[in-house]
Amino acid sequence: MGTASRPVVIAGNWKMHMTCAEARSFASQFLPLVASTPGDRTIVLAPPFTALEAVRQAVVGSAVTLASQNVHWEGNGAFTGEISTRMLEEHGVAYAIVGHSEPRKYFSESDEQINLRARAAQAGGLIPILCVGESDEQRSSGDTERVIRRQVEQGFDGIDPARLVVAYEPIWAIGTGKTCAASEANRICGLIRSWVGHPDLTVQYGGSVKPDNIDEIMAQSDIDGVLVGGASLEAQSFARIVNYQPFPAA
Ligand code: 13P
């Protein structure tokens, strides 16, 4: 739920969705719905690279901040398909998602590469949103904590925790409709913060976050925001997530 020293960050990861025209249409519907959102909630959109500029122009004067879905560690060079912090800066990007389970799975990204991406993001003035999480199989075999701890230890080397957001995204909950129980997500987010060793670290939960579970998720003491996939593609649904209403403390 965030605290005075742990900002709330609600981010929409559009993945490989949205043309420029679709992104503009989203923005025109979404912005009026978040015009009165409390200012202590940071609203982030991560469009595909091709729609970054369209979204930047559409959100001028609003509270919406931009993220990229990836970043390379070199400033330029022969790295087909990659993008650098310098290129992202031109489009007003403030955050960079790194270590998402999709590139980890489909492109065999290693913790070492993810660490290079995160370090480059910070060196270039971006805040990495560093994703960690276990697979179904790893959870079933009791390996959840060991896997995440390894991702934290290897992926976070040399990273300044004061300029970092971590997203706990259990792989089995991504795009499946199976949300991790809020209390379990809370437990893992708390463990991640303790392993990183920085009490003010913002830790998000991600994986099938929807309008109907956001209030319970954001009521958890160790969850400071969410990283949303599918439900961030529709203006009404993402606005409801941004405008969450945490349950009062029991
Ligand atoms: P879903 O919200 O669609 O499960 O995706 C989560 C995610 O991967 C965000 O990065």
Short mmCIF file of all heavy atoms in Angstrom, two decimals, residues 13 15 97 100-102 131 169 173-177 206-210 227-231, ligand 1:
data_model
loop_
_atom_site.label_atom_id
_atom_site.label_comp_id
_atom_site.label_asym_id
_atom_site.label_seq_id
_atom_site.Cartn_x
_atom_site.Cartn_y
_atom_site.Cartn_z
N ASN A 13 1.76 -2.51 -18.58
CA ASN A 13 2.70 -3.04 -19.57
C ASN A 13 1.87 -3.52 -20.77
O ASN A 13 1.20 -4.54 -20.69
CB ASN A 13 3.48 -4.20 -18.94
CG ASN A 13 4.37 -4.92 -19.95
OD1 ASN A 13 4.56 -4.44 -21.07
ND2 ASN A 13 4.91 -6.06 -19.55
N LYS A 15 2.88 -4.65 -23.54
CA LYS A 15 3.49 -5.75 -24.30
C LYS A 15 3.40 -5.45 -25.80
O LYS A 15 3.53 -4.29 -26.19
CB LYS A 15 2.84 -7.09 -23.91
CG LYS A 15 2.84 -7.29 -22.38
CD LYS A 15 2.43 -8.66 -21.95
CE LYS A 15 2.45 -8.74 -20.42
NZ LYS A 15 2.17 -10.06 -19.89
N ILE A 97 11.25 -1.35 -18.02
CA ILE A 97 11.00 -2.70 -17.53
C ILE A 97 12.17 -3.58 -17.96
O ILE A 97 12.55 -3.59 -19.14
CB ILE A 97 9.68 -3.25 -18.12
CG1 ILE A 97 8.50 -2.40 -17.66
CG2 ILE A 97 9.48 -4.73 -17.73
CD1 ILE A 97 7.17 -2.76 -18.34
N HIS A 100 11.62 -9.04 -17.47
CA HIS A 100 10.27 -9.62 -17.54
C HIS A 100 10.37 -11.11 -17.88
O HIS A 100 11.26 -11.52 -18.63
CB HIS A 100 9.43 -8.87 -18.58
CG HIS A 100 7.98 -9.19 -18.47
ND1 HIS A 100 7.44 -10.32 -19.02
CD2 HIS A 100 6.97 -8.55 -17.82
CE1 HIS A 100 6.14 -10.36 -18.72
NE2 HIS A 100 5.83 -9.30 -18.00
N SER A 101 9.43 -11.89 -17.39
CA SER A 101 9.52 -13.34 -17.61
C SER A 101 9.38 -13.72 -19.08
O SER A 101 9.85 -14.78 -19.48
CB SER A 101 8.46 -14.07 -16.79
OG SER A 101 7.18 -13.70 -17.23
N GLU A 102 8.75 -12.83 -19.91
CA GLU A 102 8.61 -13.19 -21.33
C GLU A 102 9.97 -13.20 -22.04
O GLU A 102 10.33 -14.21 -22.64
CB GLU A 102 7.53 -12.31 -21.98
CG GLU A 102 6.15 -12.79 -21.51
CD GLU A 102 5.08 -11.71 -21.43
OE1 GLU A 102 5.27 -10.62 -21.98
OE2 GLU A 102 4.03 -11.99 -20.79
N CYS A 131 11.83 -7.22 -12.91
CA CYS A 131 10.84 -8.26 -12.64
C CYS A 131 11.51 -9.55 -12.17
O CYS A 131 12.53 -9.96 -12.74
CB CYS A 131 10.04 -8.57 -13.90
SG CYS A 131 9.29 -7.13 -14.66
N GLU A 169 6.42 -10.96 -10.11
CA GLU A 169 5.44 -11.50 -11.05
C GLU A 169 5.59 -13.02 -11.13
O GLU A 169 6.42 -13.52 -11.91
CB GLU A 169 5.66 -10.91 -12.45
CG GLU A 169 5.43 -9.42 -12.53
CD GLU A 169 5.00 -8.99 -13.94
OE1 GLU A 169 5.69 -9.33 -14.91
OE2 GLU A 169 3.96 -8.34 -14.05
N ALA A 173 0.99 -16.82 -12.83
CA ALA A 173 -0.15 -15.91 -12.67
C ALA A 173 -0.27 -14.93 -13.83
O ALA A 173 -1.23 -14.17 -13.92
CB ALA A 173 -0.02 -15.14 -11.35
N ILE A 174 0.72 -14.94 -14.76
CA ILE A 174 0.72 -13.95 -15.84
C ILE A 174 -0.18 -14.40 -16.98
O ILE A 174 0.05 -15.46 -17.57
CB ILE A 174 2.16 -13.71 -16.36
CG1 ILE A 174 3.00 -13.08 -15.25
CG2 ILE A 174 2.15 -12.82 -17.60
CD1 ILE A 174 4.46 -12.86 -15.63
N GLY A 175 -1.19 -13.60 -17.25
CA GLY A 175 -2.08 -13.86 -18.38
C GLY A 175 -2.93 -15.11 -18.22
O GLY A 175 -3.52 -15.58 -19.19
N THR A 176 -3.00 -15.65 -17.02
CA THR A 176 -3.71 -16.91 -16.81
C THR A 176 -5.03 -16.72 -16.08
O THR A 176 -5.85 -17.64 -16.02
CB THR A 176 -2.86 -17.87 -15.94
OG1 THR A 176 -2.59 -17.20 -14.70
CG2 THR A 176 -1.56 -18.22 -16.62
N GLY A 177 -5.23 -15.54 -15.49
CA GLY A 177 -6.41 -15.33 -14.65
C GLY A 177 -6.22 -15.90 -13.25
O GLY A 177 -7.07 -15.73 -12.39
N GLY A 206 2.61 -8.34 -9.81
CA GLY A 206 2.04 -8.43 -11.16
C GLY A 206 1.61 -9.85 -11.45
O GLY A 206 2.25 -10.82 -11.00
N GLY A 207 0.54 -10.00 -12.22
CA GLY A 207 0.03 -11.33 -12.59
C GLY A 207 -1.48 -11.35 -12.41
O GLY A 207 -1.97 -11.48 -11.28
N SER A 208 -2.21 -11.16 -13.54
CA SER A 208 -3.68 -11.20 -13.53
C SER A 208 -4.28 -10.20 -12.54
O SER A 208 -5.28 -10.49 -11.87
CB SER A 208 -4.18 -12.62 -13.25
OG SER A 208 -3.79 -13.48 -14.31
N VAL A 209 -3.67 -9.00 -12.47
CA VAL A 209 -4.29 -7.93 -11.69
C VAL A 209 -5.47 -7.39 -12.49
O VAL A 209 -5.36 -7.13 -13.70
CB VAL A 209 -3.28 -6.78 -11.41
CG1 VAL A 209 -3.97 -5.61 -10.72
CG2 VAL A 209 -2.11 -7.30 -10.58
N LYS A 210 -6.61 -7.26 -11.83
CA LYS A 210 -7.86 -6.85 -12.50
C LYS A 210 -8.59 -5.85 -11.61
O LYS A 210 -8.30 -5.76 -10.41
CB LYS A 210 -8.78 -8.07 -12.69
CG LYS A 210 -8.16 -9.27 -13.40
CD LYS A 210 -7.99 -9.04 -14.90
CE LYS A 210 -7.30 -10.23 -15.53
NZ LYS A 210 -6.59 -9.94 -16.75
N LEU A 227 2.04 -4.19 -11.54
CA LEU A 227 2.45 -4.18 -12.94
C LEU A 227 1.38 -4.99 -13.68
O LEU A 227 1.20 -6.17 -13.42
CB LEU A 227 3.84 -4.80 -13.09
CG LEU A 227 4.46 -4.79 -14.49
CD1 LEU A 227 4.53 -3.38 -15.07
CD2 LEU A 227 5.88 -5.38 -14.44
N VAL A 228 0.66 -4.30 -14.56
CA VAL A 228 -0.57 -4.86 -15.13
C VAL A 228 -0.40 -5.10 -16.62
O VAL A 228 0.05 -4.20 -17.34
CB VAL A 228 -1.74 -3.86 -14.92
CG1 VAL A 228 -3.06 -4.48 -15.35
CG2 VAL A 228 -1.81 -3.40 -13.47
N GLY A 229 -0.75 -6.29 -17.08
CA GLY A 229 -0.71 -6.57 -18.51
C GLY A 229 -2.07 -6.36 -19.14
O GLY A 229 -2.49 -5.23 -19.42
N GLY A 230 -2.82 -7.44 -19.34
CA GLY A 230 -4.08 -7.41 -20.09
C GLY A 230 -5.05 -6.32 -19.65
O GLY A 230 -5.64 -5.63 -20.50
N ALA A 231 -5.19 -6.13 -18.34
CA ALA A 231 -6.19 -5.16 -17.86
C ALA A 231 -5.75 -3.71 -18.04
O ALA A 231 -6.51 -2.79 -17.76
CB ALA A 231 -6.53 -5.44 -16.39
P1 13P B 1 -1.31 -9.94 -16.95
O1 13P B 1 -1.79 -8.77 -16.08
O2 13P B 1 -1.95 -9.95 -18.29
O3 13P B 1 -1.39 -11.22 -16.20
O4 13P B 1 0.25 -9.66 -17.22
C1 13P B 1 1.09 -9.36 -16.18
C2 13P B 1 2.40 -8.92 -16.71
O5 13P B 1 3.14 -9.70 -17.28
C3 13P B 1 2.76 -7.50 -16.55
O6 13P B 1 4.10 -7.28 -16.87
#
